[in-house]
Amino acid sequence: MTEGAIPVARPLIGDEERAAVDRVLRSGMVVQGPEVAAFEEEFAALVEGRPCVAVNSGTSALHLGLLAAGVGPGDEVIVPSFTFAATANAVVLTGATPVFVDIEPDYFCVDPEAVAAAVTSRTVGIMPVHLYGHPADMDALRAIADRHGLALFEDACQAHLARWRGRPVGAFGDIAAFSFYPTKNMTTGEGGIVVCADETVARKVRLLRNQGMERRYANEIVGFNTRMTDIAAAIGRVQLTKLPGWTEQRQRNARYLDTELANAAPDVVVPKVAEHAEHVYHQYTVRVPDRDEVQARLAEAGVSTGVYYPIPVHRLPSYADRTGSLDLPVTERACREVISLPVHPSLSSTDLDRVVAAVAKAVAA
Ligand SMILES: *Cc1c(COP(=O)(O)O)cnc(C)c1O
């Protein structure tokens, strides 16, 4: 990858994934079946053995997980606004109301003090996002949830294998959702998984996934078709075996960028990692002055970057009429300053040096 532009994300799909898909296609059993069941069991090993239910996207995982946890009309769920819209959309789709709170500036995750201040008599849950692969402060959030009798949900769509105090994210919440979209740390094409605190919730998610049926034509509740295919699960099973190595490579790349950028571009604020956090660098996100200009200069230098997120969810057209004059200054500032640099595991050392040199030049200009 030393020729041409360096992409900001790059799904790694190899011969083993192709062989696994071929095996499924030859079997003739392409819809949800044994590969999905095996994928769920193998994923469970990453989240302390909790029951897992695979679905067709991270958004479905959030939506079905919240429904299975009993969230519905009249309820409030506290969420960050500095996230992908799917976090809040999943709440709205249950009929509940997302209550947006600010983030803390160092790790870009919800600020526990803001969460505590937002609790009302209608609040039923808190849903932090482990943004960019950095876990939210699960000690503080668990304490708030317990103090007020609230559920704790996790949007872990960007945080496969991230840890808080040595425990994997996904193993803290009443439900947690992961995504397997191609730009995430592992992929199934499209896909997601719900991690459930217990078998009762998992059974409910399974029903919701499949028209409310456990036995065919014995529909118990009204549900969706949000099943994962065996084709997708077969890809995911291979990807799971590679995820630990990729994660270590992301972490090595991040350490390299930390050190080199500190020397070459001291005005760039590199990502901080909280004391009890293990960051898996779904994104390597820095703050720079004149972000849009820096991004344009990097593009000219052949370094693709991303801005996650330029507009806070509460200011999106789909939310503006619900949130009115809500002011979240730390979020707004992050939206103006953040830029995500390539950190993915297929970067060569030459690529990394090109990124550092281009950033130094773009910031100095
Ligand atoms: C990707 C993502 C989602 C949604 O996942 P999809 O698989 O794209 O539906 C939800 N929340 C966050 C924070 C994400 O990054």
Side-chain angles (χ1 to χ4, degrees), residues 171-208:
F172 290 86
D174 293 67
I175 61 100
F178 289 84
S179 166
F180 307 120
Y181 185 74
T183 58
K184 303 292 159 88
N185 289 18
M186 62 170 283
T187 188
T188 60
E190 294 272 9
I193 206 162
V194 191
V195 182
C196 304
D198 60 46
E199 196 44 53
T200 311
V201 175
R203 180 169 189 275
K204 188 86 186 284
V205 176
R206 280 188 215 107
L207 288 174
L208 288 167

PDB file of all heavy atoms in Angstrom, residues 171-208:
ATOM      1  N   ALA A 171     -19.735  -6.976  27.939  1.00  0.00           N
ATOM      2  CA  ALA A 171     -20.050  -7.837  29.088  1.00  0.00           C
ATOM      3  C   ALA A 171     -20.536  -7.026  30.288  1.00  0.00           C
ATOM      4  O   ALA A 171     -20.680  -7.558  31.379  1.00  0.00           O
ATOM      5  CB  ALA A 171     -18.834  -8.672  29.465  1.00  0.00           C
ATOM      6  N   PHE A 172     -20.760  -5.708  30.084  1.00  0.00           N
ATOM      7  CA  PHE A 172     -21.186  -4.849  31.197  1.00  0.00           C
ATOM      8  C   PHE A 172     -22.689  -4.597  31.187  1.00  0.00           C
ATOM      9  O   PHE A 172     -23.295  -4.427  32.232  1.00  0.00           O
ATOM     10  CB  PHE A 172     -20.475  -3.487  31.122  1.00  0.00           C
ATOM     11  CG  PHE A 172     -19.007  -3.549  31.423  1.00  0.00           C
ATOM     12  CD1 PHE A 172     -18.085  -3.847  30.429  1.00  0.00           C
ATOM     13  CD2 PHE A 172     -18.540  -3.304  32.706  1.00  0.00           C
ATOM     14  CE1 PHE A 172     -16.724  -3.894  30.700  1.00  0.00           C
ATOM     15  CE2 PHE A 172     -17.188  -3.355  32.997  1.00  0.00           C
ATOM     16  CZ  PHE A 172     -16.271  -3.652  31.976  1.00  0.00           C
ATOM     17  N   GLY A 173     -23.263  -4.523  30.008  1.00  0.00           N
ATOM     18  CA  GLY A 173     -24.616  -3.998  29.894  1.00  0.00           C
ATOM     19  C   GLY A 173     -25.699  -5.056  30.015  1.00  0.00           C
ATOM     20  O   GLY A 173     -25.441  -6.260  29.951  1.00  0.00           O
ATOM     21  N   ASP A 174     -26.947  -4.572  30.172  1.00  0.00           N
ATOM     22  CA  ASP A 174     -28.108  -5.463  30.091  1.00  0.00           C
ATOM     23  C   ASP A 174     -28.200  -6.027  28.673  1.00  0.00           C
ATOM     24  O   ASP A 174     -28.579  -7.174  28.484  1.00  0.00           O
ATOM     25  CB  ASP A 174     -29.377  -4.694  30.447  1.00  0.00           C
ATOM     26  CG  ASP A 174     -29.373  -4.266  31.906  1.00  0.00           C
ATOM     27  OD1 ASP A 174     -28.533  -3.408  32.274  1.00  0.00           O
ATOM     28  OD2 ASP A 174     -30.155  -4.804  32.683  1.00  0.00           O
ATOM     29  N   ILE A 175     -27.879  -5.167  27.713  1.00  0.00           N
ATOM     30  CA  ILE A 175     -27.624  -5.643  26.350  1.00  0.00           C
ATOM     31  C   ILE A 175     -26.469  -4.816  25.799  1.00  0.00           C
ATOM     32  O   ILE A 175     -26.207  -3.698  26.258  1.00  0.00           O
ATOM     33  CB  ILE A 175     -28.846  -5.530  25.392  1.00  0.00           C
ATOM     34  CG1 ILE A 175     -29.297  -4.064  25.227  1.00  0.00           C
ATOM     35  CG2 ILE A 175     -30.001  -6.410  25.846  1.00  0.00           C
ATOM     36  CD1 ILE A 175     -28.816  -3.382  23.974  1.00  0.00           C
ATOM     37  N   ALA A 176     -25.774  -5.388  24.824  1.00  0.00           N
ATOM     38  CA  ALA A 176     -24.738  -4.648  24.102  1.00  0.00           C
ATOM     39  C   ALA A 176     -24.866  -5.006  22.630  1.00  0.00           C
ATOM     40  O   ALA A 176     -25.318  -6.096  22.293  1.00  0.00           O
ATOM     41  CB  ALA A 176     -23.346  -5.004  24.610  1.00  0.00           C
ATOM     42  N   ALA A 177     -24.484  -4.068  21.763  1.00  0.00           N
ATOM     43  CA  ALA A 177     -24.570  -4.305  20.326  1.00  0.00           C
ATOM     44  C   ALA A 177     -23.225  -4.071  19.670  1.00  0.00           C
ATOM     45  O   ALA A 177     -22.539  -3.082  19.963  1.00  0.00           O
ATOM     46  CB  ALA A 177     -25.614  -3.375  19.705  1.00  0.00           C
ATOM     47  N   PHE A 178     -22.859  -4.994  18.783  1.00  0.00           N
ATOM     48  CA  PHE A 178     -21.661  -4.842  17.945  1.00  0.00           C
ATOM     49  C   PHE A 178     -22.099  -4.794  16.487  1.00  0.00           C
ATOM     50  O   PHE A 178     -23.123  -5.378  16.118  1.00  0.00           O
ATOM     51  CB  PHE A 178     -20.706  -6.027  18.140  1.00  0.00           C
ATOM     52  CG  PHE A 178     -20.015  -6.049  19.475  1.00  0.00           C
ATOM     53  CD1 PHE A 178     -20.647  -6.598  20.588  1.00  0.00           C
ATOM     54  CD2 PHE A 178     -18.736  -5.542  19.624  1.00  0.00           C
ATOM     55  CE1 PHE A 178     -20.010  -6.633  21.819  1.00  0.00           C
ATOM     56  CE2 PHE A 178     -18.084  -5.568  20.853  1.00  0.00           C
ATOM     57  CZ  PHE A 178     -18.727  -6.110  21.959  1.00  0.00           C
ATOM     58  N   SER A 179     -21.290  -4.134  15.655  1.00  0.00           N
ATOM     59  CA  SER A 179     -21.546  -4.065  14.212  1.00  0.00           C
ATOM     60  C   SER A 179     -20.424  -4.760  13.456  1.00  0.00           C
ATOM     61  O   SER A 179     -19.268  -4.735  13.887  1.00  0.00           O
ATOM     62  CB  SER A 179     -21.621  -2.601  13.763  1.00  0.00           C
ATOM     63  OG  SER A 179     -21.556  -2.503  12.343  1.00  0.00           O
ATOM     64  N   PHE A 180     -20.796  -5.340  12.324  1.00  0.00           N
ATOM     65  CA  PHE A 180     -19.797  -5.966  11.443  1.00  0.00           C
ATOM     66  C   PHE A 180     -19.822  -5.330  10.060  1.00  0.00           C
ATOM     67  O   PHE A 180     -19.582  -5.987   9.047  1.00  0.00           O
ATOM     68  CB  PHE A 180     -20.043  -7.484  11.360  1.00  0.00           C
ATOM     69  CG  PHE A 180     -20.111  -8.145  12.707  1.00  0.00           C
ATOM     70  CD1 PHE A 180     -21.265  -8.828  13.101  1.00  0.00           C
ATOM     71  CD2 PHE A 180     -19.055  -8.076  13.596  1.00  0.00           C
ATOM     72  CE1 PHE A 180     -21.354  -9.427  14.350  1.00  0.00           C
ATOM     73  CE2 PHE A 180     -19.133  -8.664  14.854  1.00  0.00           C
ATOM     74  CZ  PHE A 180     -20.282  -9.343  15.232  1.00  0.00           C
ATOM     75  N   TYR A 181     -20.146  -4.054  10.007  1.00  0.00           N
ATOM     76  CA  TYR A 181     -20.080  -3.288   8.756  1.00  0.00           C
ATOM     77  C   TYR A 181     -18.627  -3.309   8.262  1.00  0.00           C
ATOM     78  O   TYR A 181     -17.699  -3.390   9.071  1.00  0.00           O
ATOM     79  CB  TYR A 181     -20.568  -1.852   9.058  1.00  0.00           C
ATOM     80  CG  TYR A 181     -20.658  -0.997   7.837  1.00  0.00           C
ATOM     81  CD1 TYR A 181     -21.689  -1.189   6.915  1.00  0.00           C
ATOM     82  CD2 TYR A 181     -19.711  -0.010   7.581  1.00  0.00           C
ATOM     83  CE1 TYR A 181     -21.768  -0.411   5.775  1.00  0.00           C
ATOM     84  CE2 TYR A 181     -19.784   0.763   6.440  1.00  0.00           C
ATOM     85  CZ  TYR A 181     -20.812   0.565   5.534  1.00  0.00           C
ATOM     86  OH  TYR A 181     -20.879   1.320   4.409  1.00  0.00           O
ATOM     87  N   PRO A 182     -18.413  -3.236   6.934  1.00  0.00           N
ATOM     88  CA  PRO A 182     -17.044  -3.423   6.409  1.00  0.00           C
ATOM     89  C   PRO A 182     -15.962  -2.509   6.973  1.00  0.00           C
ATOM     90  O   PRO A 182     -14.790  -2.903   7.001  1.00  0.00           O
ATOM     91  CB  PRO A 182     -17.221  -3.207   4.903  1.00  0.00           C
ATOM     92  CG  PRO A 182     -18.621  -3.642   4.643  1.00  0.00           C
ATOM     93  CD  PRO A 182     -19.411  -3.223   5.850  1.00  0.00           C
ATOM     94  N   THR A 183     -16.302  -1.302   7.411  1.00  0.00           N
ATOM     95  CA  THR A 183     -15.239  -0.443   7.956  1.00  0.00           C
ATOM     96  C   THR A 183     -14.943  -0.729   9.423  1.00  0.00           C
ATOM     97  O   THR A 183     -13.996  -0.167   9.978  1.00  0.00           O
ATOM     98  CB  THR A 183     -15.624   1.043   7.852  1.00  0.00           C
ATOM     99  OG1 THR A 183     -16.856   1.231   8.551  1.00  0.00           O
ATOM    100  CG2 THR A 183     -15.765   1.482   6.406  1.00  0.00           C
ATOM    101  N   LYS A 184     -15.726  -1.575  10.083  1.00  0.00           N
ATOM    102  CA  LYS A 184     -15.502  -1.843  11.507  1.00  0.00           C
ATOM    103  C   LYS A 184     -14.274  -2.759  11.671  1.00  0.00           C
ATOM    104  O   LYS A 184     -13.701  -3.219  10.690  1.00  0.00           O
ATOM    105  CB  LYS A 184     -16.752  -2.470  12.141  1.00  0.00           C
ATOM    106  CG  LYS A 184     -18.012  -1.596  11.969  1.00  0.00           C
ATOM    107  CD  LYS A 184     -17.945  -0.295  12.758  1.00  0.00           C
ATOM    108  CE  LYS A 184     -18.885   0.773  12.247  1.00  0.00           C
ATOM    109  NZ  LYS A 184     -20.223   0.787  12.775  1.00  0.00           N
ATOM    110  N   ASN A 185     -13.895  -3.057  12.904  1.00  0.00           N
ATOM    111  CA  ASN A 185     -12.643  -3.795  13.118  1.00  0.00           C
ATOM    112  C   ASN A 185     -12.698  -5.228  12.612  1.00  0.00           C
ATOM    113  O   ASN A 185     -11.664  -5.872  12.463  1.00  0.00           O
ATOM    114  CB  ASN A 185     -12.242  -3.749  14.589  1.00  0.00           C
ATOM    115  CG  ASN A 185     -11.766  -2.353  14.987  1.00  0.00           C
ATOM    116  OD1 ASN A 185     -12.043  -1.374  14.290  1.00  0.00           O
ATOM    117  ND2 ASN A 185     -11.045  -2.257  16.089  1.00  0.00           N
ATOM    118  N   MET A 186     -13.896  -5.745  12.385  1.00  0.00           N
ATOM    119  CA  MET A 186     -14.082  -7.012  11.675  1.00  0.00           C
ATOM    120  C   MET A 186     -15.407  -6.912  10.922  1.00  0.00           C
ATOM    121  O   MET A 186     -16.263  -6.096  11.287  1.00  0.00           O
ATOM    122  CB  MET A 186     -14.112  -8.210  12.637  1.00  0.00           C
ATOM    123  CG  MET A 186     -15.246  -8.163  13.629  1.00  0.00           C
ATOM    124  SD  MET A 186     -15.447  -9.710  14.574  1.00  0.00           S
ATOM    125  CE  MET A 186     -16.271 -10.757  13.350  1.00  0.00           C
ATOM    126  N   THR A 187     -15.586  -7.723   9.881  1.00  0.00           N
ATOM    127  CA  THR A 187     -16.797  -7.580   9.074  1.00  0.00           C
ATOM    128  C   THR A 187     -17.441  -8.919   8.738  1.00  0.00           C
ATOM    129  O   THR A 187     -16.785  -9.963   8.757  1.00  0.00           O
ATOM    130  CB  THR A 187     -16.498  -6.805   7.766  1.00  0.00           C
ATOM    131  OG1 THR A 187     -17.744  -6.529   7.108  1.00  0.00           O
ATOM    132  CG2 THR A 187     -15.612  -7.593   6.824  1.00  0.00           C
ATOM    133  N   THR A 188     -18.755  -8.834   8.454  1.00  0.00           N
ATOM    134  CA  THR A 188     -19.470  -9.959   7.840  1.00  0.00           C
ATOM    135  C   THR A 188     -20.177  -9.471   6.565  1.00  0.00           C
ATOM    136  O   THR A 188     -21.144 -10.068   6.131  1.00  0.00           O
ATOM    137  CB  THR A 188     -20.540 -10.532   8.812  1.00  0.00           C
ATOM    138  OG1 THR A 188     -21.488  -9.501   9.128  1.00  0.00           O
ATOM    139  CG2 THR A 188     -19.930 -11.061  10.096  1.00  0.00           C
ATOM    140  N   GLY A 189     -19.706  -8.373   5.993  1.00  0.00           N
ATOM    141  CA  GLY A 189     -20.445  -7.689   4.928  1.00  0.00           C
ATOM    142  C   GLY A 189     -21.317  -6.655   5.620  1.00  0.00           C
ATOM    143  O   GLY A 189     -20.858  -5.589   5.980  1.00  0.00           O
ATOM    144  N   GLU A 190     -22.570  -6.959   5.820  1.00  0.00           N
ATOM    145  CA  GLU A 190     -23.399  -6.258   6.804  1.00  0.00           C
ATOM    146  C   GLU A 190     -23.630  -7.256   7.931  1.00  0.00           C
ATOM    147  O   GLU A 190     -23.661  -8.467   7.701  1.00  0.00           O
ATOM    148  CB  GLU A 190     -24.766  -5.861   6.219  1.00  0.00           C
ATOM    149  CG  GLU A 190     -24.728  -4.825   5.112  1.00  0.00           C
ATOM    150  CD  GLU A 190     -24.770  -3.383   5.613  1.00  0.00           C
ATOM    151  OE1 GLU A 190     -24.654  -3.147   6.828  1.00  0.00           O
ATOM    152  OE2 GLU A 190     -24.923  -2.492   4.752  1.00  0.00           O
ATOM    153  N   GLY A 191     -23.819  -6.753   9.138  1.00  0.00           N
ATOM    154  CA  GLY A 191     -24.117  -7.679  10.228  1.00  0.00           C
ATOM    155  C   GLY A 191     -23.979  -7.021  11.577  1.00  0.00           C
ATOM    156  O   GLY A 191     -23.430  -5.923  11.702  1.00  0.00           O
ATOM    157  N   GLY A 192     -24.517  -7.689  12.573  1.00  0.00           N
ATOM    158  CA  GLY A 192     -24.415  -7.194  13.939  1.00  0.00           C
ATOM    159  C   GLY A 192     -24.705  -8.330  14.898  1.00  0.00           C
ATOM    160  O   GLY A 192     -25.114  -9.421  14.484  1.00  0.00           O
ATOM    161  N   ILE A 193     -24.465  -8.069  16.183  1.00  0.00           N
ATOM    162  CA  ILE A 193     -24.761  -9.100  17.177  1.00  0.00           C
ATOM    163  C   ILE A 193     -25.225  -8.424  18.471  1.00  0.00           C
ATOM    164  O   ILE A 193     -24.724  -7.355  18.820  1.00  0.00           O
ATOM    165  CB  ILE A 193     -23.542 -10.026  17.406  1.00  0.00           C
ATOM    166  CG1 ILE A 193     -23.966 -11.412  17.893  1.00  0.00           C
ATOM    167  CG2 ILE A 193     -22.533  -9.404  18.350  1.00  0.00           C
ATOM    168  CD1 ILE A 193     -22.892 -12.488  17.718  1.00  0.00           C
ATOM    169  N   VAL A 194     -26.220  -9.053  19.107  1.00  0.00           N
ATOM    170  CA  VAL A 194     -26.692  -8.570  20.402  1.00  0.00           C
ATOM    171  C   VAL A 194     -26.089  -9.470  21.465  1.00  0.00           C
ATOM    172  O   VAL A 194     -26.237 -10.700  21.407  1.00  0.00           O
ATOM    173  CB  VAL A 194     -28.229  -8.640  20.527  1.00  0.00           C
ATOM    174  CG1 VAL A 194     -28.689  -7.870  21.781  1.00  0.00           C
ATOM    175  CG2 VAL A 194     -28.912  -8.114  19.290  1.00  0.00           C
ATOM    176  N   VAL A 195     -25.411  -8.863  22.424  1.00  0.00           N
ATOM    177  CA  VAL A 195     -24.912  -9.596  23.584  1.00  0.00           C
ATOM    178  C   VAL A 195     -25.929  -9.378  24.703  1.00  0.00           C
ATOM    179  O   VAL A 195     -26.296  -8.237  24.986  1.00  0.00           O
ATOM    180  CB  VAL A 195     -23.523  -9.080  24.014  1.00  0.00           C
ATOM    181  CG1 VAL A 195     -23.002  -9.881  25.200  1.00  0.00           C
ATOM    182  CG2 VAL A 195     -22.552  -9.137  22.846  1.00  0.00           C
ATOM    183  N   CYS A 196     -26.373 -10.466  25.312  1.00  0.00           N
ATOM    184  CA  CYS A 196     -27.471 -10.372  26.284  1.00  0.00           C
ATOM    185  C   CYS A 196     -26.988 -10.788  27.670  1.00  0.00           C
ATOM    186  O   CYS A 196     -26.162 -11.693  27.807  1.00  0.00           O
ATOM    187  CB  CYS A 196     -28.630 -11.272  25.867  1.00  0.00           C
ATOM    188  SG  CYS A 196     -29.222 -10.915  24.204  1.00  0.00           S
ATOM    189  N   ALA A 197     -27.545 -10.129  28.695  1.00  0.00           N
ATOM    190  CA  ALA A 197     -27.139 -10.427  30.064  1.00  0.00           C
ATOM    191  C   ALA A 197     -27.612 -11.803  30.489  1.00  0.00           C
ATOM    192  O   ALA A 197     -26.991 -12.451  31.323  1.00  0.00           O
ATOM    193  CB  ALA A 197     -27.671  -9.360  31.018  1.00  0.00           C
ATOM    194  N   ASP A 198     -28.727 -12.250  29.928  1.00  0.00           N
ATOM    195  CA  ASP A 198     -29.224 -13.576  30.312  1.00  0.00           C
ATOM    196  C   ASP A 198     -30.020 -14.208  29.178  1.00  0.00           C
ATOM    197  O   ASP A 198     -30.303 -13.575  28.159  1.00  0.00           O
ATOM    198  CB  ASP A 198     -30.065 -13.500  31.602  1.00  0.00           C
ATOM    199  CG  ASP A 198     -31.268 -12.595  31.433  1.00  0.00           C
ATOM    200  OD1 ASP A 198     -31.973 -12.696  30.404  1.00  0.00           O
ATOM    201  OD2 ASP A 198     -31.500 -11.756  32.327  1.00  0.00           O
ATOM    202  N   GLU A 199     -30.386 -15.460  29.384  1.00  0.00           N
ATOM    203  CA  GLU A 199     -31.046 -16.261  28.352  1.00  0.00           C
ATOM    204  C   GLU A 199     -32.473 -15.758  28.071  1.00  0.00           C
ATOM    205  O   GLU A 199     -32.964 -15.876  26.944  1.00  0.00           O
ATOM    206  CB  GLU A 199     -31.043 -17.735  28.797  1.00  0.00           C
ATOM    207  CG  GLU A 199     -31.338 -18.743  27.721  1.00  0.00           C
ATOM    208  CD  GLU A 199     -30.614 -18.497  26.394  1.00  0.00           C
ATOM    209  OE1 GLU A 199     -29.373 -18.345  26.401  1.00  0.00           O
ATOM    210  OE2 GLU A 199     -31.308 -18.458  25.361  1.00  0.00           O
ATOM    211  N   THR A 200     -33.119 -15.153  29.058  1.00  0.00           N
ATOM    212  CA  THR A 200     -34.483 -14.643  28.839  1.00  0.00           C
ATOM    213  C   THR A 200     -34.485 -13.524  27.799  1.00  0.00           C
ATOM    214  O   THR A 200     -35.308 -13.503  26.878  1.00  0.00           O
ATOM    215  CB  THR A 200     -35.070 -14.101  30.173  1.00  0.00           C
ATOM    216  OG1 THR A 200     -34.857 -15.092  31.169  1.00  0.00           O
ATOM    217  CG2 THR A 200     -36.541 -13.789  30.048  1.00  0.00           C
ATOM    218  N   VAL A 201     -33.528 -12.598  27.961  1.00  0.00           N
ATOM    219  CA  VAL A 201     -33.419 -11.496  26.995  1.00  0.00           C
ATOM    220  C   VAL A 201     -33.000 -12.051  25.631  1.00  0.00           C
ATOM    221  O   VAL A 201     -33.527 -11.648  24.594  1.00  0.00           O
ATOM    222  CB  VAL A 201     -32.410 -10.427  27.499  1.00  0.00           C
ATOM    223  CG1 VAL A 201     -32.197  -9.348  26.454  1.00  0.00           C
ATOM    224  CG2 VAL A 201     -32.899  -9.807  28.801  1.00  0.00           C
ATOM    225  N   ALA A 202     -32.075 -12.994  25.633  1.00  0.00           N
ATOM    226  CA  ALA A 202     -31.596 -13.568  24.371  1.00  0.00           C
ATOM    227  C   ALA A 202     -32.747 -14.245  23.610  1.00  0.00           C
ATOM    228  O   ALA A 202     -32.869 -14.112  22.393  1.00  0.00           O
ATOM    229  CB  ALA A 202     -30.470 -14.563  24.635  1.00  0.00           C
ATOM    230  N   ARG A 203     -33.606 -14.931  24.347  1.00  0.00           N
ATOM    231  CA  ARG A 203     -34.743 -15.597  23.687  1.00  0.00           C
ATOM    232  C   ARG A 203     -35.658 -14.555  23.044  1.00  0.00           C
ATOM    233  O   ARG A 203     -36.143 -14.729  21.926  1.00  0.00           O
ATOM    234  CB  ARG A 203     -35.524 -16.448  24.690  1.00  0.00           C
ATOM    235  CG  ARG A 203     -36.701 -17.151  24.052  1.00  0.00           C
ATOM    236  CD  ARG A 203     -37.358 -18.204  24.931  1.00  0.00           C
ATOM    237  NE  ARG A 203     -38.323 -18.946  24.135  1.00  0.00           N
ATOM    238  CZ  ARG A 203     -39.578 -18.544  23.926  1.00  0.00           C
ATOM    239  NH1 ARG A 203     -40.032 -17.426  24.473  1.00  0.00           N
ATOM    240  NH2 ARG A 203     -40.378 -19.257  23.153  1.00  0.00           N
ATOM    241  N   LYS A 204     -35.863 -13.448  23.749  1.00  0.00           N
ATOM    242  CA  LYS A 204     -36.704 -12.368  23.214  1.00  0.00           C
ATOM    243  C   LYS A 204     -36.090 -11.786  21.938  1.00  0.00           C
ATOM    244  O   LYS A 204     -36.804 -11.529  20.958  1.00  0.00           O
ATOM    245  CB  LYS A 204     -36.851 -11.282  24.288  1.00  0.00           C
ATOM    246  CG  LYS A 204     -37.831 -10.193  24.000  1.00  0.00           C
ATOM    247  CD  LYS A 204     -39.226 -10.564  24.421  1.00  0.00           C
ATOM    248  CE  LYS A 204     -40.274  -9.527  23.993  1.00  0.00           C
ATOM    249  NZ  LYS A 204     -40.266  -8.323  24.815  1.00  0.00           N
ATOM    250  N   VAL A 205     -34.769 -11.608  21.943  1.00  0.00           N
ATOM    251  CA  VAL A 205     -34.109 -11.081  20.737  1.00  0.00           C
ATOM    252  C   VAL A 205     -34.267 -12.083  19.589  1.00  0.00           C
ATOM    253  O   VAL A 205     -34.550 -11.698  18.457  1.00  0.00           O
ATOM    254  CB  VAL A 205     -32.619 -10.778  20.994  1.00  0.00           C
ATOM    255  CG1 VAL A 205     -31.936 -10.322  19.699  1.00  0.00           C
ATOM    256  CG2 VAL A 205     -32.444  -9.721  22.076  1.00  0.00           C
ATOM    257  N   ARG A 206     -34.116 -13.369  19.901  1.00  0.00           N
ATOM    258  CA  ARG A 206     -34.273 -14.387  18.843  1.00  0.00           C
ATOM    259  C   ARG A 206     -35.681 -14.346  18.259  1.00  0.00           C
ATOM    260  O   ARG A 206     -35.868 -14.468  17.052  1.00  0.00           O
ATOM    261  CB  ARG A 206     -33.975 -15.786  19.394  1.00  0.00           C
ATOM    262  CG  ARG A 206     -32.498 -16.078  19.472  1.00  0.00           C
ATOM    263  CD  ARG A 206     -32.225 -17.539  19.844  1.00  0.00           C
ATOM    264  NE  ARG A 206     -31.037 -17.581  20.676  1.00  0.00           N
ATOM    265  CZ  ARG A 206     -31.019 -17.806  21.986  1.00  0.00           C
ATOM    266  NH1 ARG A 206     -32.136 -18.120  22.630  1.00  0.00           N
ATOM    267  NH2 ARG A 206     -29.895 -17.763  22.645  1.00  0.00           N
ATOM    268  N   LEU A 207     -36.673 -14.163  19.115  1.00  0.00           N
ATOM    269  CA  LEU A 207     -38.052 -14.058  18.622  1.00  0.00           C
ATOM    270  C   LEU A 207     -38.213 -12.827  17.732  1.00  0.00           C
ATOM    271  O   LEU A 207     -38.768 -12.903  16.628  1.00  0.00           O
ATOM    272  CB  LEU A 207     -39.041 -13.988  19.792  1.00  0.00           C
ATOM    273  CG  LEU A 207     -39.266 -15.273  20.584  1.00  0.00           C
ATOM    274  CD1 LEU A 207     -40.155 -14.993  21.801  1.00  0.00           C
ATOM    275  CD2 LEU A 207     -39.904 -16.365  19.719  1.00  0.00           C
ATOM    276  N   LEU A 208     -37.710 -11.677  18.209  1.00  0.00           N
ATOM    277  CA  LEU A 208     -37.845 -10.434  17.438  1.00  0.00           C
ATOM    278  C   LEU A 208     -37.134 -10.536  16.093  1.00  0.00           C
ATOM    279  O   LEU A 208     -37.579  -9.961  15.104  1.00  0.00           O
ATOM    280  CB  LEU A 208     -37.269  -9.252  18.244  1.00  0.00           C
ATOM    281  CG  LEU A 208     -38.091  -8.808  19.444  1.00  0.00           C
ATOM    282  CD1 LEU A 208     -37.271  -7.875  20.337  1.00  0.00           C
ATOM    283  CD2 LEU A 208     -39.376  -8.105  18.998  1.00  0.00           C
TER     284      LEU A 208
END
